[in-house]
Amino acid sequence: MRYQDLSYWLSSLDGPLTPRPGLPGDTDADVVIVGAGYTGLWTAYYLAAADPALRIVVLEKEIAGYGASGRNGGWCSALFPTSLSALARRHGRDRALAMHWAMRETVGEVGRVVDAEGIDCDWRAGGTVVLARSEVQLGRARAAVAEAREHGLADADLVLLDAAEAAARCQAEGVRGGTYTPHCAAVHPAKLVRGLATAVERRGVRVFERTPVTALRPGVAVTPAGVVRAPVVVRATEGFTPALPGQRRAVAPVYSLMVATAPLPEATWAEIGLAERETFSDYRHVIIYGQRTADGRLAFGGRGAPYHYGSRVRPDFDREPRVFAALRRVLGELFPVLGPEVPVTHTWGGPLGVARDWAASVGLDRSTGLAWAGGYVGDGVGTSNLAGRTLADLIRGEQTDLTTLPWVNHRSPRWEPEPLRWLAVNAGLKVMFSADEAESRTGRPSRRAAAFSHLLGH
Ligand SMILES: Cc1cc2nc3c(=O)[nH]c(=O)nc-3n(C[C@H](O)[C@H](O)[C@H](O)COP(=O)(O)OP(=O)(O)OC[C@H]3O[C@@H](n4cnc5c(N)ncnc54)[C@H](O)[C@@H]3O)c2cc1C
């Protein structure tokens, strides 16, 4: 496997993706981190920044950015997998809002570090426009704004757009309105994760690549090349977690897939819009997401690939021709200017982590020294930064505003054993697909999809 083939983003980096040296043998450290995606690297970054004397080791089974961090849609957003209302029901309004403000600030914090560390990742804080292309979708746009107002959030957080305002940002076919939030930046995800790996090394963190961890225990991470002993062991393996011993039911790996067009001419962009490189989506049930890349492509993705029995993660699951074809079709429906003559040059995908209660979490078990973060579903680009800062505070024993946020030390229940897990996850995907089909046929909102979303705590 060539790492370049894992995503358009990894293929577009300057220079070869030569792996760093692996772990040379048994090693002692203060903190050992498993996984060199955003979660592992942000954790290392903030720990090293706070205490340069800490001996920090990162162990990565492939290369930094091999996982979702090198393959995602590049929305560095304030989105969190659990809605504000669901958080308020579980934790009270004040704590729910604290989580919201922390996520909002996170987008700015990532921008600040990118700047300070000179990470050239095509950062553009153009916000997000979510389109409504039917009366039913418009209903959901209004409901999203009403929910924001209920929690005291103003137009500056989320504003309802009429048809003309939405089209002025993103001229998709049949736009009737939508919403806009400024709290998102478009990034080149692989440049961000690779730049972060270099930034942590500059601060003295040792990153070992091609070093798979075969077992995690209190005080030790075991690899074929030797063990790393450290009082704190951080699991930052997200969608790959089920492959670790004892973790099969911790998160379900669900696949998200993407396509990218060739660079589009200015005349095409004049018809599509996205002049501020706003990230975009719409109010259908099965999530779609897109960004105008800095080199003028449209990178576009969505869910819909099946969950694989036994929570298996395999490279061939990244490629699902049926889903790539569906994504290409949706692109053409949204933007008729992207007719069949416009080539899709890249297709790829990767696993994300979904906890049984759909709740992302971050934590440290003080009695064992085992720490973790993840379960971000499709919102990990921003959230992993908050996780890294929070883990750094927890590991250093600091009590801060971050360590009291409601997701800290939350324990999600384990997924059901198979075959129930397979049935549940794939049934959920099916409900969402058929809801979108039924809604466009009948023009009425799907009750089954609403009930299902409620079940998931959305
Ligand atoms: C196609 C796609 C599109 C997405 N779009 C967005 C988006 O636009 N915005 C957003 O916010 N989120 C998005 N996400 C989700 C986001 O990318 C992830 O939530 C985020 O990258 C998770 O970072 P992470 O570091 O926790 O996990 P990962 O980036 O998956 O990193 C985990 C790392 O651990 C390593 N590893 C695993 N097991 C071991 C082991 N045993 N030993 C050593 N190393 C190991 C892996 O090789 C990998 O490098 C998307 C995800 C995908 C797949």
Side-chain angles (χ1 to χ4, degrees), residues 35 37-39 60-61 68-69 72-73 75 213 256 289 350 378-381:
Y38 300 136
T39 300
E60 164 56 50
K61 77 179 165 80
S69 301
N72 61 73
W75 289 38
V213 170
S256 203
Y289 48 90
D379 298 326
V381 179

Side-chain angles (χ1 to χ4, degrees), residues 28-398:
D28 288 333
D30 296 310
V31 181
V32 57
I33 297 169
V34 184
Y38 300 136
T39 300
L41 294 171
W42 280 124
T43 306
Y45 179 82
Y46 287 105
L47 277 171
D51 184 351
L54 277 178
R55 295 167 307 159
I56 304 164
V57 166
V58 178
L59 301 174
E60 164 56 50
K61 77 179 165 80
E62 299 288 349
I63 58 165
Y66 169 82
S69 301
R71 316 186 198 181
N72 61 73
W75 289 38
C76 182
S77 75
L79 293 170
F80 190 68
T82 314
S83 72
L84 204 46
S85 295
L87 279 174
R89 278 195 303 275
R90 287 180 204 165
H91 305 284
R93 183 187 152 94
D94 289 352
R95 298 190 74 211
L97 278 172
M99 193 74 224
H100 172 80
W101 298 127
M103 283 303 304
R104 255 188 62 168
E105 282 167 15
T106 294
V107 181
E109 170 63 11
V110 177
R112 185 193 67 74
V113 178
V114 157
D115 223 29
E117 297 293 338
I119 300 174
D120 174 10
C121 62
D122 304 338
W123 179 270
R124 179 74 180 266
T128 297
V129 57
V130 183
L131 305 167
R133 296 174 58 241
S134 67
E135 203 47 44
V136 180
Q137 291 191 7
L138 206 48
R140 279 199 281 275
R142 288 193 195 104
V145 174
E147 184 194 9
R149 296 295 171 273
E150 246 173 59
H151 295 284
L153 306 180
D155 272 4
D157 273 296
L158 187 73
V159 66
L160 193 66
L161 306 177
D162 64 21
E165 290 165 332
R169 290 199 178 270
C170 182
Q171 178 79 52
E173 180 73 4
V175 168
R176 304 225 194 151
T179 55
Y180 175 77
T181 172
H183 306 307
C184 185
V187 295
H188 185 304
K191 287 185 182 172
L192 175 59
V193 70
R194 302 288 301 171
L196 259 180
T198 309
V200 301
E201 283 184 316
R202 274 199 303 267
R203 288 175 182 266
V205 173
R206 285 178 297 161
V207 180
F208 298 111
E209 296 187 333
R210 293 242 176 119
T211 304
V213 170
T214 51
L216 284 181
R217 289 195 292 274
V220 61
V222 180
T223 84
V227 298
V228 180
R229 291 184 200 288
V232 177
V233 180
V234 180
R235 165 166 67 70
T237 48
E238 192 58 337
F240 303 89
T241 303
L244 286 167
Q247 303 287 335
R248 183 150 309 271
R249 289 159 58 195
V251 292
V254 170
Y255 279 77
S256 203
L257 268 51
M258 296 196 68
V259 300
T261 66
L264 303 172
E266 266 314 310
T268 303
W269 281 117
E271 287 197 39
I272 293 175
L274 303 174
E276 307 289 326
R277 291 188 52 219
E278 297 92 332
T279 52
F280 73 94
S281 178
D282 72 11
Y283 276 100
R284 77 185 68 200
H285 292 292
V286 177
I287 298 206
I288 56 159
Y289 48 90
Q291 75 148 288
R292 176 178 180 168
T293 66
D295 64 349
R297 297 166 192 268
L298 217 156
F300 185 69
R303 307 266 169 81
Y307 158 81
H308 298 277
Y309 196 89
S311 292
R312 282 171 306 148
V313 173
R314 284 209 324 239
D316 52 316
F317 297 162
D318 299 342
R319 317 200 60 80
E320 196 77 47
R322 183 183 52 79
V323 179
F324 293 141
L327 289 170
R328 179 66 187 86
R329 198 173 53 245
V330 174
L331 256 190
E333 283 163 15
L334 287 169
F335 307 112
V337 65
L338 299 180
E341 71 289 356
V342 175
V344 159
T345 53
H346 296 78
T347 54
W348 72 95
L352 26 94
V354 182
R356 175 63 179 83
D357 56 0
W358 222 262
S361 65
V362 54
L364 166 67
D365 179 342
R366 291 202 181 283
S367 64
T368 60
L370 291 175
W372 77 94
Y376 313 122
V377 193
D379 298 326
V381 179
T383 316
S384 57
N385 171 276
L386 184 60
R389 283 185 284 146
T390 307
L391 278 175
D393 287 349
L394 289 170
I395 291 167
R396 296 177 60 250
E398 303 274 330

